[in-house]
């Protein structure tokens, strides 16, 4: 018999309206996505698979997300604040179109006000140009040896060298006071997606029906 939590997760994935699907739709209707939306990414590289392994505790289901980005601007196209190689940069969301990546976009239930969007974008832009925090990945990897307990990540507090999930978590915490179920410096892409699912964030868009079904299969068992 399914538990109450399992039933809630199933309700979440079957709620209406369904998210919009496909890159072609997004090219025609970029305002399907809004500033402040969170982009959950599952990369197809060995590095991305290693991150999904590293961020999974023994008691958890497999991690789906290996990367996280934040929507910074929407005009004729969608711009996200992202970690690109060794720097934090603003770049078009469509940069993912021809990469071996799967994308799902979530939004705060009820959406954000214009003031909240402006505040969130301002905080996120503070990170633009900063060097990628490679040493923070080491703290996450070391915590994996402790079954993903929050120990080494507690020591990694230098804001000058962010990683993707750090940037998203701190932008939300500093502008809206929102935590993703853990301290911002502990947040991993999987933690952020877990929180969005548990808190019934609106599923706005996914790159394909296959991506949506695959992500659902992780959370509804």
């Amino acid at each position: 018999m399914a538990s109450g939590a399992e039933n809630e997760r199933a309700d979440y994935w079957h709620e209406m309206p369904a998210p919009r699907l496909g890159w072609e739709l997004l090219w025609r209707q970029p305002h399907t996505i809004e500033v402040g939306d969170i982009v959950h990414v599952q990369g197809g590289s060995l590095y991305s698979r290693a991150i999904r392994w590293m961020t999974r505790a023994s008691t958890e289901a497999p991690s789906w997300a290996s990367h996280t980005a934040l929507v910074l601007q929407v005009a004729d196209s969608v711009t996200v604040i992202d970690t690109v190689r060794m720097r934090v940069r603003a770049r078009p969301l469509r940069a993912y179109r021809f990469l071996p990546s799967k994308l799902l976009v979530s939004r705060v239930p009820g959406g954000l006000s214009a003031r909240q969007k402006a505040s969130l974008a301002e905080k996120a832009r503070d990170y633009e140009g900063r060097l990628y925090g490679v040493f923070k990945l080491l703290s996450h990897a070391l915590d994996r040896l402790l079954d993903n307990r929050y120990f080494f990540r507690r020591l990694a507090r230098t804001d000058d060298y962010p990683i993707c999930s750090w940037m998203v978590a701190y932008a939300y915490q500093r502008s809206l006071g929102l935590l993703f179920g853990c301290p911002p410096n502990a947040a991993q892409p999987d933690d952020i997606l877990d929180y969005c699912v548990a808190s019934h964030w609106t599923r706005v868009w996914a790159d394909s029906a296959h991506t949506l079904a695959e992500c659902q299969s992780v959370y509804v068992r």
Side-chain angles (χ1 to χ4, degrees), residues 13 15-22 32 104-105 202-206 212:
W13 288 100
E15 70 183 7
M16 297 298 287
R20 313 293 295 277
L21 299 173
T32 297
L104 175 68
V105 177
T202 303
R203 292 165 298 135
V204 176
W205 177 84
L212 190 65

Side-chain angles (χ1 to χ4, degrees), residues 175-212:
S175 61
L176 305 181
L178 187 150
L179 297 173
F180 291 96
C182 60
N185 63 315
Q188 301 168 333
D190 182 55
D191 295 324
I192 292 175
L193 179 55
D194 285 351
Y195 179 88
C196 291
V197 170
S199 301
H200 288 209
W201 283 40
T202 303
R203 292 165 298 135
V204 176
W205 177 84
D207 67 283
S208 70
H210 175 74
T211 291
L212 190 65

Side-chain angles (χ1 to χ4, degrees), residues 4-214:
E6 289 171 339
N7 286 332
E8 286 185 8
R9 288 195 293 268
D11 289 344
Y12 171 79
W13 288 100
H14 293 100
E15 70 183 7
M16 297 298 287
R20 313 293 295 277
L21 299 173
W23 286 104
E24 290 75 14
L25 180 144
L26 200 59
W27 287 335
R28 296 193 309 269
Q29 302 176 36
H31 288 273
T32 297
I33 290 178
E34 296 180 2
V35 172
D37 288 351
I38 294 179
V39 183
H40 313 281
V41 182
Q42 185 189 98
S45 67
L46 180 62
Y47 173 73
S48 297
R49 291 196 292 272
I51 287 178
R52 293 197 297 276
W53 174 85
M54 187 173 66
T55 58
R56 179 190 180 189
S58 62
T59 56
E60 289 184 308
S63 297
W64 188 87
S66 56
H67 183 68
T68 308
L70 185 69
V71 176
L72 191 62
Q73 182 178 352
V74 182
D76 294 335
S77 62
V78 178
T79 301
V80 297
I81 189 80
D82 206 348
T83 50
V84 184
R85 297 184 178 91
M86 295 303 294
R87 292 271 181 188
V88 176
R89 304 186 189 279
R91 67 168 173 171
L93 181 64
R94 63 174 178 265
Y96 284 99
R97 174 66 178 88
F98 299 106
L99 295 176
S101 300
K102 302 169 186 175
L103 276 69
L104 175 68
V105 177
S106 297
R107 179 178 302 155
V108 173
L112 299 171
S113 68
R115 178 177 294 181
Q116 288 173 322
K117 290 177 182 178
S119 176
L120 190 57
E122 180 182 6
K123 293 296 182 185
R125 280 201 182 275
D126 284 346
Y127 288 100
E128 196 169 0
R130 297 190 191 185
L131 285 172
Y132 184 67
V134 176
F135 67 93
K136 288 190 174 69
L137 291 180
L138 178 60
S139 71
H140 286 253
L142 290 172
D143 274 352
R144 179 62 177 85
L145 299 177
L146 303 176
D147 204 18
N148 219 18
R149 291 180 175 84
Y150 177 48
F151 181 78
F152 290 101
R153 283 170 292 170
R154 190 190 304 274
L155 307 177
R157 293 186 174 276
T158 303
D159 202 37
D160 292 337
Y161 305 98
I163 58 175
C164 65
S165 50
W166 173 293
M167 183 172 56
V168 172
Y170 269 109
Y172 259 94
Q173 188 266 333
R174 287 169 174 161
S175 61
L176 305 181
L178 187 150
L179 297 173
F180 291 96
C182 60
N185 63 315
Q188 301 168 333
D190 182 55
D191 295 324
I192 292 175
L193 179 55
D194 285 351
Y195 179 88
C196 291
V197 170
S199 301
H200 288 209
W201 283 40
T202 303
R203 292 165 298 135
V204 176
W205 177 84
D207 67 283
S208 70
H210 175 74
T211 291
L212 190 65
E214 182 186 274

